Amino acid sequence: WSEIIVTMKFARATIVTALFAASAAAFTAPLKSRNVGAFTKPTWGPLQMSTAEAPVETSTDDASPEVMRPPINMPWESISDQLQTAFGYSAEEVQAYNDNLEGDKEALLKLYKAMQMARGFENACNQAYMQGKIRGFMHLDNGQESIPGLVDYAIKNGDTKYSYYREHTHALASGVDPGKIMAELFMKDGGTCRGAGGSMHIFDKKTYFQGGWALVAEQLPYAAGAAKSILLDRAMGLSDDENQVKQNVPPPEDDDRISIVFVGEGGSQNGRMAEILNAAAKDNLPLLILTIDNGRAINTYTPDIATNGKVYEQGKHYGVPGLLVDGLNAADVAKGGKAVIDYIRSGKGPAMLQVHTYRFNGHSPADPEHERGRKEEKQWARSEQDPLKAFEDKYINSGVFTEDELKAARKEILAEVKESVKFADASPMPPVELAKELEYPDAPDTDYNLKPAPEFAAEVNARTISPQQMETVTAHIEALQERAKAGEISIGDAINLAIHEEMLRDPTTTIHAEDLQAGSSYDIPKLTQQTYGQIRAADEIIDEGHFIGKALGEAMNGYRPIVELMNTNFGIYGMAEISSAGNTFATTGGQFDMPMTIIGAGGTAPNQALGAEHSQPFHAYVMGIPGLKICTAASPEAAYGITKSMIRDNGPCFLFAPVKMMKEAKGPVDLGKCAPLNKAALLHEASQDSVDEGGAVTVLTYLHGVKESQTAIEAIQAEGCDIDLIELRTLKPLDMETIAASLARTNKLCILDESTKSGGVGATISAQVSEELFDLLDAPVKRLCMDDAPVPYASSMEEAVVKRGSDLVKGVVDLCVGNH
């Protein structure tokens, strides 16, 4: 062991040394020479120290390195031409943008300070990382300071901001407190997210800084949803109160909020980009897509993997204009960027901005940077493409600033950075109990019947729903309610009834679906768009990840989106978005609720003949996502009550309904009542005689298994046995109390499971029962689950994979006779 420990210590020391060497340049001033080929030891002047902590020896090799990605050296005249051609500005208007900044010394100094804050903060982060105060992954922004400069110059507090994992400087420029950001990186309770998010997940509700998202390009649809929320506010006449809760006060007449999303040029090649451009153009969203083009997808040279480097032109096909600017010139980025932002603010629709820049650091401090040309490019860029050095050279040489003025500004900023580190050091670690507290916004035992409706519902409905629309939907609701009273309503119609009742009860409720106008496959969204309009009831493109993502953005901004999946298996396209929905409340330290409800038909019925792709147990796939409440409903009553509760819940919920029973299963509904989201239902109780004779078994099942079990009861009783039939209406959280009460009577458990043997729902339940209720078992748990093989189309083969009522009869009898 001692040898292993010594080896580990040596390895750690080696790694730290390598990390320091790879990252030291974050503290290094740009080389004085502007000659691409001159890599000599720098001579330091007073302002050349503005981005440095200590000089670093560089190569004296006379051979010039290959510059794989040459600078674009874009003059303001080129930006002016683009603004006139693509955005319709006049030459005089463009000149005004130039004059407004170039003639305002105070604005220029503010721009410089914003860049210095970005550089100084990232340098401090790098040092803290080397000291072990920051852990996990960290991604620094050195060299790209013109982007936070633009944010500080042209983005307002009320604008929603969505960034990716390299977001420290974007948060700083958005007005997020530096001390809180640093404390978050230090995993402290005083951090923006109380230490729950970390470097890649900076959120700040006060400044509408909404991430910090770690999966590349996932933030794109979220930002589109946030932009849609701005339009919803205007259409509904709603706005945020001081706690960002919707109030019945319209936005001001001059409301010009936008949503801005940051993405790298590598991430811009993701398919989500095409989807967001389509959505933004279709709905005329107030959305800025800002592409940070540093030429590296992680560290790989982007042209090695992508042919379209002109990201700003991707919107042409959709009528979305774009602008390319040179990140070396921070003032030009600010001027051109503000013109683009003002275009969006004026109501003309979305736009794109591509900033050509260079990143001075590797992807992260731990990055070896072995990719082709990366080290040479980085060294050259520090010398020739530093926006801070370029700003200093330009405005000192032109006489706008003196060296002492900019040196004083730097000193002021570095003092703020030091204070942020001091605050982070002093902040306590979060309490261990916080982790469980952040699992759900609403406790599992919440009584949703007690949740009050918004007081403004009737007034908002009156001004947004016409009398004719209200008459039509009221008649529709009344007809469904009559069928419910008669016990003749289907599962699909019961869900539709619940949705209409809740959308009228709370006008912040929205819905997204494919084929929504036509009612989709099972009438779940029927008559929603015809009643509430396209602004609240959106027909969507055929990509579930896209509209689940937009729903997430709406949910972060005061709305309650419902997402209907035509088939729950299509949710596979949205796994990233569903996962992030589950994580958001916790990751943001409880700042952002996630009131999103996903509903769809799914599961695998015996002999359903849908083939493998439509027969996957998606309910099992999402069981491992933290923060989700997952329910099932095999009856109209369950579907109705659960739907109402989920829409009122402040966290993400997922309701699975049985695809082959959506129109077939009919029954009564307890109108107006919300169902619990943490309770199973005892549908049939074994006779006391069977219990006394040892012939009773607890059967747990859900979805189509409910029908299969109910039809098997008579056959089971004919064999001298009986069952407690429990419908698992909640898969997560699991109702162990009801299961325990039944097992205390029967002492035997059989699970008829509509998921696979490996990683299925039954596997989870069986393990939990064995761990927590072992003393109640007289026999091993009997799992009747789907085989791990894909579900075949042909019924002759399908019988070998999907379990049914006949399997349940045999399984129960085997348990009763001791045939384990």
Side-chain angles (χ1 to χ4, degrees):
W1 282 109
S2 59
E3 292 179 2
I4 294 174
I5 292 171
V6 169
T7 302
M8 291 173 65
K9 287 182 177 179
F10 176 78
R12 177 177 175 83
T14 303
I15 292 171
V16 170
T17 302
L19 287 174
F20 185 83
S23 303
F27 299 87
T28 305
L31 297 179
K32 183 175 181 180
S33 169
R34 305 298 287 176
N35 185 331
V36 172
F39 290 96
T40 56
K41 186 174 181 178
T43 303
W44 301 101
L47 271 175
Q48 287 174 303
M49 288 294 290
S50 65
T51 57
E53 295 294 327
V56 174
E57 291 283 349
T58 57
S59 172
T60 56
D61 190 347
D62 291 333
S64 300
E66 177 186 0
V67 179
M68 296 176 63
R69 183 171 176 265
I72 59 175
N73 297 322
M74 178 174 287
W76 172 249
E77 290 73 22
S78 176
I79 297 172
S80 175
D81 289 344
Q82 292 181 72
L83 289 172
Q84 293 176 62
T85 302
F87 290 85
Y89 281 106
S90 67
E92 293 75 19
E93 289 171 327
V94 174
Q95 186 61 42
Y97 279 104
N98 181 74
D99 296 343
N100 286 343
L101 180 57
E102 297 293 355
D104 188 340
K105 182 175 179 178
E106 184 178 342
L108 286 169
L109 183 61
K110 190 170 183 290
L111 176 65
Y112 180 71
K113 287 182 177 180
M115 293 195 295
Q116 278 290 2
M117 172 59 77
R119 180 70 62 86
F121 189 89
E122 296 292 65
N123 286 347
C125 289
N126 204 5
Q127 185 175 27
Y129 190 90
M130 297 304 167
Q131 294 169 342
K133 295 180 180 180
I134 299 175
R135 301 180 62 188
F137 297 129
M138 182 182 71
H139 309 85
L140 301 178
D141 205 35
N142 297 57
Q144 303 180 156
E145 288 81 6
S146 58
I147 290 100
L150 167 63
V151 173
D152 181 82
Y153 179 65
I155 295 298
K156 302 178 181 180
N157 182 78
D159 297 330
T160 56
K161 303 101 179 166
Y162 283 80
S163 191
Y164 58 128
Y165 46 79
R166 198 182 307 278
E167 87 283 32
H168 307 163
T169 67
H170 306 155
L172 286 165
S174 298
V176 184
D177 183 85
K180 290 186 176 182
I181 299 175
M182 190 65 76
E184 185 62 33
L185 272 62
F186 279 33
M187 60 178 70
K188 297 296 187 70
D189 199 24
T192 55
C193 303
R194 302 192 64 186
S199 173
M200 297 181 286
H201 302 289
I202 303 298
F203 291 81
D204 183 66
K205 194 166 186 177
K206 181 180 177 181
T207 59
Y208 288 86
F209 192 82
Q210 300 179 353
W213 301 88
L215 303 178
V216 173
E218 67 164 314
Q219 71 275 14
L220 292 175
Y222 309 161
K228 179 72 175 292
S229 298
I230 296 172
L231 299 186
L232 278 161
D233 284 352
R234 295 170 185 170
M236 305 297 292
L238 302 175
S239 62
D240 291 347
D241 65 14
E242 59 183 8
N243 297 314
Q244 295 186 24
V245 175
K246 294 303 176 193
Q247 60 181 345
N248 192 21
V249 177
E253 290 188 10
D254 62 350
D255 177 33
D256 62 358
R257 291 171 296 154
I258 71 168
S259 179
I260 177 174
V261 59
F262 304 87
V263 63
E265 89 288 346
S268 295
Q269 308 300 328
N270 191 289
R272 287 174 175 83
M273 179 62 85
E275 294 167 349
I276 193 178
L277 286 168
N278 175 71
K282 180 176 71 72
D283 291 336
N284 202 46
L285 297 179
L287 176 67
L288 172 63
I289 304 168
L290 196 159
T291 296
I292 302 168
D293 175 15
N294 55 41
R296 294 284 165 172
I298 306 179
N299 280 312
T300 300
Y301 185 47
T302 307
D304 285 351
I305 57 171
T307 59
N308 179 19
K310 296 180 179 180
V311 177
Y312 72 104
E313 293 185 346
Q314 286 186 15
K316 280 186 176 180
H317 182 69
Y318 304 91
V320 178
L323 176 71
L324 174 66
V325 293
D326 187 349
L328 178 63
N329 191 324
D332 282 1
V333 172
K335 294 178 296 189
K338 190 174 190 309
V340 172
I341 290 167
D342 287 349
Y343 170 92
I344 302 169
R345 293 197 193 282
S346 70
K348 295 178 181 177
M352 305 184 76
L353 177 66
Q354 181 173 353
V355 183
H356 182 283
T357 186
Y358 295 85
R359 193 181 72 223
F360 293 172
N361 300 76
H363 179 65
S364 71
D367 205 319
E369 300 183 271
H370 292 156
E371 286 79 2
R372 183 166 69 91
R374 175 63 182 135
K375 292 181 180 179
E376 294 83 359
E377 176 191 79
K378 186 171 67 173
Q379 187 181 31
W380 167 82
R382 290 191 189 113
S383 170
E384 306 299 326
Q385 292 292 309
D386 187 337
L388 278 163
K389 177 63 169 64
F391 185 98
E392 293 162 357
D393 286 350
K394 176 180 178 180
Y395 291 105
I396 290 175
N397 292 338
S398 64
V400 175
F401 294 108
T402 66
E403 290 187 356
D404 286 343
E405 285 176 314
L406 295 187
K407 189 174 183 181
R410 172 183 175 268
K411 183 177 180 181
E412 174 189 331
I413 295 301
L414 288 183
E416 290 184 40
V417 172
K418 289 180 180 179
E419 284 300 312
S420 73
V421 175
K422 185 178 179 180
F423 174 84
D425 277 329
S427 184
M429 294 291 285
V432 65
E433 297 82 10
L434 182 62
K436 194 63 178 176
E437 292 173 12
L438 293 175
E439 184 176 11
Y440 299 118
D442 289 347
D445 61 355
T446 297
D447 185 349
Y448 299 94
N449 295 292
L450 303 179
K451 284 205 166 192
E455 294 180 358
F456 54 69
E459 187 176 340
V460 174
N461 287 337
R463 69 170 176 253
T464 58
I465 303 173
S466 72
Q468 183 179 359
Q469 289 172 319
M470 185 62 78
E471 181 180 350
T472 300
V473 75
T474 299
H476 175 68
I477 289 172
E478 289 174 350
L480 291 178
Q481 289 174 339
E482 287 302 313
R483 284 156 61 182
K485 293 174 185 176
E488 296 178 354
I489 194 170
S490 68
I491 293 175
D493 284 341
I495 296 172
N496 177 249
L497 173 59
I499 287 172
H500 277 294
E501 290 178 350
E502 294 302 311
M503 291 189 77
L504 290 172
R505 175 185 176 274
D506 186 347
T508 66
T509 307
T510 64
I511 186 167
H512 301 256
E514 298 160 348
D515 261 1
L516 179 139
Q517 296 175 50
S520 193
S521 294
Y522 306 105
D523 288 341
I524 288 175
K526 183 178 180 179
L527 215 62
T528 53
Q529 190 171 100
Q530 292 86 341
T531 302
Y532 313 107
Q534 189 177 9
I535 191 72
R536 286 181 66 193
D539 243 325
E540 295 289 356
I541 62 169
I542 307 174
D543 188 324
E544 286 68 15
H546 170 72
F547 58 88
I548 292 172
K550 286 201 297 185
L552 188 153
E554 288 180 12
M556 293 187 74
N557 287 279
Y559 288 90
R560 292 185 173 275
I562 304 164
V563 173
E564 192 256 357
L565 301 180
M566 189 176 291
N567 185 290
T568 54
N569 288 308
F570 302 161
I572 291 172
Y573 278 108
M575 281 295 284
E577 291 78 10
I578 296 171
S579 173
S580 289
N583 290 329
T584 297
F585 179 70
T587 300
T588 65
Q591 292 182 81
F592 288 92
D593 290 343
M594 186 49 62
M596 177 168 68
T597 300
I598 304 175
I599 299 174
T604 308
N607 203 31
Q608 71 179 18
L610 293 179
E613 286 195 68
H614 278 64
S615 303
Q616 298 181 74
F618 191 63
H619 47 282
Y621 298 174
V622 298
M623 280 277 285
I625 296 176
L628 287 184
K629 290 176 182 171
I630 304 171
C631 294
T632 71
S635 68
E637 179 184 12
Y640 172 85
I642 290 172
T643 297
K644 290 178 75 70
S645 294
M646 285 187 164
I647 294 171
R648 298 184 191 187
D649 192 277
N650 284 320
C653 301
F654 204 142
L655 174 60
F656 290 83
V659 66
K660 284 297 186 177
M661 296 169 60
M662 295 299 292
K663 298 180 179 181
E664 166 195 312
K666 296 183 178 179
V669 159
D670 193 357
L671 292 172
K673 295 295 179 67
C674 295
L677 299 183
N678 68 332
K679 286 295 178 184
L682 179 63
L683 303 182
H684 174 82
E685 189 172 34
S687 68
Q688 190 60 44
D689 287 345
S690 67
V691 172
D692 294 340
E693 295 169 3
V697 175
T698 298
V699 173
L700 305 180
T701 193
Y702 57 96
L703 294 177
H704 303 93
V706 173
K707 176 185 175 183
E708 293 295 311
S709 300
Q710 288 175 326
T711 57
I713 290 175
E714 187 175 339
I716 290 170
Q717 291 172 336
E719 294 288 342
C721 304
D722 207 346
I723 62 173
D724 273 3
L725 176 58
I726 296 175
E727 179 186 0
L728 297 172
R729 293 182 178 178
T730 170
L731 299 181
K732 196 173 77 170
L734 188 63
D735 182 6
M736 293 297 289
E737 183 179 352
T738 297
I739 296 172
S742 177
L743 283 178
R745 297 178 69 239
T746 68
N747 306 119
K748 292 177 284 293
L749 177 60
C750 183
I751 305 172
L752 180 56
D753 184 14
E754 214 160 303
S755 61
T756 50
K757 184 174 183 179
S758 300
V761 171
T764 298
I765 296 171
S766 177
Q768 196 165 340
V769 168
S770 297
E771 291 171 1
E772 300 177 21
L773 305 176
F774 182 77
D775 290 344
L776 297 179
L777 296 173
D778 287 346
V781 175
K782 173 76 73 173
R783 291 172 54 202
L784 304 175
C785 48
M786 292 166 55
D787 191 84
D788 284 343
V791 178
Y793 167 68
S795 57
S796 57
M797 292 188 289
E798 182 257 6
E799 287 184 2
V801 178
V802 181
K803 299 299 185 290
R804 58 206 70 214
S806 56
D807 298 298
L808 179 63
V809 174
K810 183 178 184 303
V812 168
V813 172
D814 283 348
L815 279 172
C816 291
V817 301
N819 185 14
H820 303 153

